[in-house]
Amino acid sequence: MQNIVILTGAGISAESGLSTFRDAGGLWERYPIEDVATPEAFARNPDLVHEFYNLRRANLASVTPNAAHLALARLEAEHPGTVTLITQNVDDLHERAGSTALVHMHGALKGALCHTCDHRWPAPDQMWPKDTCPSCHAQTTRPDIVWFGEVPYGAERIDPALNAADVFVAIGTSGNVYPAAAYAQHCARLGAHTIELNLEPSTNQRDFAEHRYGPASKLVLQWVEEVLAGV
Ligand code: OAD
């Protein structure tokens, strides 16, 4: 029974209507990283950073999981081996599709975190600098998002899964952000079969043995059907 590890990025949610980061018109073109996605940006202008994530949290209300999210949830439910889903996405579309073995390595829009006491709680629709932590009451609340320069979440679950992977699949990610961009090479070196499912070749395409290019809704559905049929 095969251990399958899947890494998803913004491309899997594109057909649900959420913007990617680096495509033309993507989020980082409209909101420079250094203004909204670093601890320094938050220290300098917390209102602007909250506004950016409040807007993105609000966008979640108008989108639904697409065929790719649903296919991955079906794979987890029906595959006889293990399926570990690692997402760089901060949306909740994998959960809403039914995936449970899920690691949000870059955090989640629906989470809030206290910088003082590390307490976590469900984020309200709107967060602002004056908010207080429900546990220690400090005015040091922030979105539970991993910003550039911070350590991604879940290494204690991700690393053993990568080391035991028979198949590693990256879906809808451009391969620009580490450590996620190094996972394919790591798994390939340990003998896993590596597959890239993306709209176009990713930056680290040479780390994959198999490449399929097209929209995630089509590619993921097809690949999941093949796996479940034992092809
Ligand atoms: P990117 O915006 O860098 O890449 C999205 C990828 O999805 C691109 O390679 C697109 O070609 C592809 N894509 C677009 N539409 C697609 C579709 N319908 N089907 C399949 N693929 C499609 O997003 P990520 O790689 O996820 O981190 O970015 C990684 C991290 O960089 C994010 O988690 C975020 C960002 O900075 C933080 O904020 C820490």
Side-chain angles (χ1 to χ4, degrees):
M1 281 179 293
Q2 290 196 314
N3 296 324
I4 300 175
V5 178
I6 300 159
L7 172 72
T8 62
I12 197 168
S13 297
E15 290 164 82
S16 292
L18 295 178
S19 295
T20 60
F21 294 96
R22 295 176 182 78
D23 293 307
L27 283 168
W28 293 156
E29 208 171 281
R30 287 175 280 151
Y31 305 90
I33 288 178
E34 57 277 14
D35 289 349
V36 296
T38 67
E40 294 77 17
F42 191 58
R44 203 167 49 236
N45 192 344
D47 281 289
L48 177 68
V49 175
H50 275 307
E51 260 173 51
F52 174 68
Y53 289 102
N54 286 343
L55 196 62
R56 299 191 57 210
R57 199 176 297 112
N59 286 342
L60 295 183
S62 58
V63 299
T64 52
N66 65 52
H69 299 102
L70 294 166
L72 294 182
R74 181 177 163 221
L75 182 70
E76 183 191 319
E78 297 182 19
H79 177 62
T82 64
V83 176
T84 306
L85 180 54
I86 306 163
T87 188
Q88 299 168 89
N89 298 343
V90 294
D91 66 54
D92 60 349
L93 293 178
H94 284 305
E95 294 91 315
R96 280 154 63 186
S99 289
T100 58
L102 175 65
V103 184
H104 269 285
M105 67 179 293
H106 289 167
L109 283 169
K110 293 236 166 139
L113 168 68
C114 175
H115 192 56
T116 300
C117 72
D118 283 341
H119 179 63
R120 286 188 160 82
W121 67 101
D125 291 343
Q126 303 267 309
M127 294 184 71
W128 298 111
K130 64 173 173 27
D131 295 347
T132 52
C133 167
S135 178
C136 75
H137 309 293
Q139 275 187 324
T140 51
T141 68
R142 55 171 281 182
D144 194 5
I145 300 279
V146 176
W147 288 320
F148 284 88
E150 298 183 320
V151 180
Y153 296 151
E156 70 289 351
R157 288 172 64 197
I158 293 172
D159 293 349
L162 294 175
N163 291 340
D166 299 302
V167 178
F168 174 82
V169 189
I171 302 168
T173 176
S174 63
N176 280 293
V177 175
Y178 288 82
Y183 293 166
Q185 191 181 71
H186 178 83
C187 291
R189 282 190 179 147
L190 294 178
H193 179 59
T194 50
I195 311 174
E196 173 193 30
L197 304 180
N198 207 36
L199 201 54
E200 60 192 11
S202 54
T203 309
N204 58 339
Q205 60 160 308
R206 66 185 174 283
D207 297 332
F208 296 90
E210 188 179 337
H211 312 265
R212 301 185 189 186
Y213 299 123
S217 58
K218 182 168 159 251
L219 294 185
V220 178
L221 194 62
Q222 189 180 24
W223 171 72
V224 166
E225 279 173 1
E226 286 171 17
V227 174
L228 292 178
V231 174

